[in-house]
Amino acid sequence: MTTNENATATATTRTLGTTGPSVFPLGLGCMGMSALYGEADRAESVATIHAALDAGVTLLDTGDFYGMGHNELLINEALRTAPAAAREQALTSVKFGALRTVEGGFTGYDGRPEAVKNFLAYSLQRLGRDHIDIYRIARVDPDVPIEETIGAIAEAVEAGHVRHIGLSEVGADTLRRAAAVAPIADLQIEYSLISRGIEEEILPAARELGIGITAYGVLSRGLISGHFARDRRLSPRDFRGMSPRFQGDNLDRNLDLVDALRKVAEGRGVSVAQTAIAWVLSRGEDIVPLVGARRRDRLAEALGAMEISLSAADLAAIEEAVPAGAAAGDRYPAAQMAHLDSEH
């Protein structure tokens, strides 16, 4: 594993599919700044977004249901207080459609055309922008054909309120149906060393259709970051406490994989997180990893992954440490797995 001094100079952008925008090779996933991982420091979150923009990051990923609008308002604040040049380079990627309760529960998804217009209106207001760069339903609404949902977003593109259409967690068949309606820039889907399910059918379909991949969960919610301790106690508001991969024997088995990966990383003078991110970056120029850094130090570590060049021997060592399919437990609880079109 070697450091490529020209990595950031020679690979400063990746294009999302054949119709999408050019973006910095890493995107910033902002969810954890507002929800699902316990308390976050607002000032540090804003500072982290500023640091990301200053480093050249362009893609800011959010969802209108992250903290019931809190995350969009946070991004609005960060962009308003950023230098004009940084603000102008920022691209917003927004997921919509999740239905919430006052208590924070999820009750389903709404992909009706009239709902799309409603969600979009509120997001534009909260973000303080006249358009969203990439707009996507978070999960397929089983009661609404994907063609109708995509058609509604396409109308928003025609009206100038949306620049590009994306998808999230859909299977190859749905990807093809959606692409037949309107150009799709990218598919946002979980992809990491321990979540490689897209490789069999979904990734080939996306490449066949000229659709890029924005990969979330590249550190599996911190599980393979190298920073998650075996005796760590999660707060009641941290959804990882319900995640099968973070429970009981599954956690021990998964952290055994991290220990094996750590030996590979330390032997070459880089961190576990950087190794895991670099592996995703190595999967293709059409893949843009989203890193969920909530702090500037974690962001800096993630950005360092761009300077790592992986040889064939490095890749072999990484995949020997963490073989495909080696993870213990599903990536979501059963109820949430049922909502994943990508898993059906």
Side-chain angles (χ1 to χ4, degrees):
M1 197 177 301
T2 60
T3 297
N4 180 355
E5 295 179 354
N6 296 318
T8 54
T10 59
T12 54
T13 62
R14 291 187 172 190
T15 301
L16 294 179
T18 56
T19 64
S22 291
V23 299
F24 192 76
L26 290 179
L28 182 64
C30 300
M31 180 188 76
M33 298 176 180
S34 296
L36 300 177
Y37 289 126
E39 295 298 326
D41 183 315
R42 188 181 189 92
E44 181 62 23
S45 295
V46 170
T48 300
I49 294 174
H50 286 170
L53 295 172
D54 185 59
V57 173
T58 50
L59 190 63
L60 303 178
D61 184 77
T62 185
D64 63 8
F65 50 94
Y66 293 166
M68 284 76 158
H70 179 279
N71 205 236
E72 291 178 321
L73 292 169
L74 181 72
I75 290 173
N76 182 334
E77 177 184 344
L79 292 178
R80 281 189 292 105
T81 54
R87 182 167 59 249
E88 291 168 4
Q89 77 179 13
L91 302 176
T92 52
S93 167
V94 179
K95 291 179 291 298
F96 69 89
L99 304 176
R100 307 293 302 271
T101 66
V102 174
E103 295 75 21
F106 288 84
T107 60
Y109 297 89
D110 193 343
R112 295 171 301 143
E114 56 268 38
V116 173
K117 296 174 183 178
N118 178 75
F119 288 128
L120 176 59
Y122 279 92
S123 283
L124 289 171
Q125 178 69 23
R126 285 188 292 259
L127 287 166
R129 295 169 78 85
D130 63 5
H131 72 275
I132 289 169
D133 294 285
I134 311 173
Y135 201 49
R136 71 189 84 238
I137 190 165
R139 300 287 187 269
V140 174
D141 181 346
D143 297 322
V144 179
I146 193 65
E147 291 85 352
E148 294 184 16
T149 304
I150 296 300
I153 306 175
E155 290 181 6
V157 172
E158 292 178 7
H161 303 314
V162 171
R163 292 285 189 268
H164 303 280
I165 304 172
L167 287 164
S168 175
E169 285 290 355
V170 304
D173 178 62
T174 302
L175 201 60
R176 291 189 174 92
R177 288 170 53 197
V181 176
I184 305 297
D186 72 312
L187 167 63
Q188 187 172 121
I189 195 163
E190 186 166 355
Y191 189 38
S192 73
L193 273 168
I194 64 170
S195 295
R196 298 179 61 173
I198 73 169
E199 293 177 343
E200 185 174 347
E201 294 183 359
I202 295 173
L203 183 55
R207 286 174 168 162
E208 170 195 327
L209 296 165
I211 296 171
I213 299 290
T214 41
Y216 77 89
V218 293
L219 297 179
S220 199
R221 299 159 188 84
L223 181 60
I224 60 172
S225 67
H227 301 299
F228 199 92
R230 290 178 186 270
D231 58 354
R232 179 173 174 178
R233 299 190 60 132
L234 297 169
S235 73
R237 296 182 61 186
D238 192 323
F239 88 109
R240 289 174 293 187
M242 297 182 294
S243 171
R245 290 184 175 174
F246 286 83
Q247 295 179 357
D249 291 342
N250 286 350
L251 178 61
D252 284 334
R253 288 167 59 192
N254 291 328
L255 290 180
D256 286 344
L257 297 174
V258 177
D259 288 341
L261 184 62
R262 191 188 310 276
K263 292 178 182 178
V264 177
E266 290 181 348
R268 290 154 178 81
V270 297
S271 75
V272 175
Q274 289 170 336
T275 304
I277 296 168
W279 180 87
V280 179
L281 281 166
S282 77
R283 298 298 84 194
E285 293 291 322
D286 54 348
I287 297 173
V288 174
L290 299 173
V291 295
R294 300 195 293 171
R295 299 178 351 213
R296 284 167 286 182
D297 60 337
R298 294 286 193 253
L299 173 67
E301 180 184 26
L303 290 170
M306 292 178 56
E307 300 177 359
I308 299 171
S309 178
L310 298 176
S311 68
D314 294 326
L315 292 170
I318 290 168
E319 297 196 22
E320 182 179 358
V322 187
D330 287 334
R331 55 195 183 99
Y332 285 102
Q336 294 183 41
M337 289 291 287
H339 286 296
L340 296 177
D341 181 79
S342 55
E343 294 286 342
H344 294 258

